[in-house]
Amino acid sequence: MATSSILTAQDLTKVVPSAEGELTILHHLSLDLKRGDSMAIVGASGSGKSTLLGLLAGLDLPSAGRVTLAGRDLSTLDEDQRARVRAEHVGFVFQSFQLLDSLNALENVMLPLELDGRSDARERARGLLERVGLGARLSHSPRQLSGGEQQRVAIARAFASEPDVLFADEPTGNLDSHTGERISDLLFELNKERGTTLVLVTHDERLAHRCHRLIRLDAGRLVAPLEP
Ligand SMILES: Nc1ncnc2c1ncn2[C@@H]1O[C@H](COP(=O)(O)OP(=O)(O)OP(=O)(O)O)[C@@H](O)[C@H]1O
Ligand SMILES: [Mg+2]
C-alpha cells in the first residue's frame, strides 16, 4: 500500500560534471520502504552508496526522478522546505561525523533536542551517550575523542530527535567488532521500539544481514535486490 510507504525513490538518476564531460553516478534507481523497514546498501567504494543516501535524505537533488519522504515529494520543495522535512523526520549519521568542534559531546547531542524545544534535552542526551558507552566522555570536545568515539557521538545525536527514518553511512565503520555490535543492537532496538526505518550503508556483513532488505550498487546501478 502506498499509504504505508515512508520512503520511495522513483527512477533516480544523478549526473555530475567532470573533466571528461558528464558522469552518471546513479542510473534509474527505484525503491520503496515501509515504516519500520530496515535496508542495507552495499557495494564497492565509488559505487554510489553515499550519493544515494544523500538523495534519499533530501540533502542533494537528483538530476532526474523523485524521492518521496514521509509523504512529501522532495522535488517540489525548496531548500528550506526540505530542511524542515529533514528536521521533522530524519536523522543522519554522515561518513564524516560532522560534529561541532566548539561544543562538547553532551552539547552536540543536546543540540537537536534544544532546537526541538525539549526541556529534557540534557537528561535525554546524557542517557543516549551512556547507551553508546560514552557516559565518561560527556565534556570532551570532538577533537579530544577518538574516531570511533566521535562516531558514537554522531549516532547518539542522530537518535536524539527520534527520527522516522535514520540514515547512516558506515555506522560501524570505525569501531571494533564488540563496539560495532553494541551500536548495531542500538539501531535495531530503535527500529523495534519506535518503528524507526533504518537505511544503512555498510561494509559490515553482520549488520547488513540483520536488515530486512539488502540492495547492492554496482557502478551506480542497482543489482537485483537480494534477500539477506
Ligand atoms: N559531486 C561530485 N562530482 C563528481 N563526482 C562525484 C561527485 N560526487 C560523487 N562523485 C563520484 O561518484 C562516485 C560515487 O561516489 P559515492 O561517494 O557515492 O561512493 P560510495 O559508494 O559512497 O563510496 P565509498 O564506499 O568509498 O564511500 C564516485 O566515483 C565519486 O568519485
Ligand atoms: Mg561513501
Side-chain angles (χ1 to χ4, degrees), residues 45-46 48-51 95 169-170 201:
S45 178
K49 305 179 298 296
S50 296
T51 303
Q95 209 164 8
D169 204 341
E170 293 282 2
V201 170

Side-chain angles (χ1 to χ4, degrees), residues 6-224:
I6 184 80
L7 178 65
T8 63
Q10 290 167 272
D11 217 16
L12 285 188
T13 292
K14 182 70 179 176
V15 180
V16 296
S18 80
E20 292 78 40
E22 290 195 330
L23 182 67
T24 302
I25 55 178
L26 278 181
H27 301 257
H28 304 291
L29 202 142
S30 298
L31 53 84
D32 179 23
L33 290 179
K34 312 293 182 202
R35 269 177 207 281
D37 268 351
S38 54
M39 180 175 77
I41 304 171
V42 301
S45 178
S47 58
K49 305 179 298 296
S50 296
T51 303
L52 174 59
L53 214 59
L55 294 177
L56 293 176
L59 294 165
D60 189 14
L61 287 174
S63 310
R66 87 173 76 194
V67 173
T68 308
L69 176 62
R72 309 293 299 276
D73 178 349
L74 298 182
S75 63
T76 65
L77 306 182
D78 66 25
E79 207 158 319
D80 287 347
Q81 293 171 316
R82 292 204 310 278
R84 227 167 300 140
V85 172
R86 283 199 304 275
E88 210 172 309
H89 298 286
V90 167
F92 208 108
V93 182
F94 294 89
Q95 209 164 8
S96 60
F97 315 122
Q98 312 236 337
L99 299 175
L100 297 173
D101 262 319
S102 54
L103 302 181
N104 68 28
L106 184 65
E107 291 161 347
N108 263 287
V109 179
M110 284 171 63
L111 186 64
L113 294 165
E114 289 180 320
L115 293 175
D116 244 13
R118 291 181 59 152
S119 55
D120 61 346
R122 180 171 296 270
E123 280 325 298
R124 189 167 162 72
R126 187 196 302 275
L128 282 163
L129 283 164
E130 279 162 7
R131 280 178 86 175
V132 298
L134 290 177
R137 294 286 184 274
L138 303 180
S139 61
H140 284 229
S141 77
R143 68 169 71 82
Q144 297 169 324
L145 295 169
S146 74
E149 289 171 342
Q150 291 176 42
Q151 183 155 20
R152 286 184 277 157
V153 175
I155 287 167
R157 184 183 55 184
F159 282 171
S161 49
E162 304 185 327
D164 292 323
V165 187
L166 181 73
F167 294 94
D169 204 341
E170 293 282 2
T172 60
N174 293 282
L175 304 176
D176 63 87
S177 62
H178 176 71
T179 310
E181 193 80 355
R182 255 173 83 182
I183 294 300
S184 300
D185 289 346
L186 201 56
L187 288 167
F188 285 95
E189 279 165 34
L190 191 75
N191 172 252
K192 282 210 187 63
E193 285 167 19
R194 298 205 57 257
T196 304
T197 304
L198 302 177
V199 182
L200 312 173
V201 170
T202 186
H203 289 291
D204 178 342
E205 294 262 329
R206 289 174 72 179
L207 177 55
H209 285 88
R210 287 177 78 169
C211 292
H212 301 143
R213 296 175 57 185
L214 181 60
I215 64 168
R216 186 176 303 277
L217 290 181
D218 181 10
R221 292 175 201 276
L222 189 60
V223 183

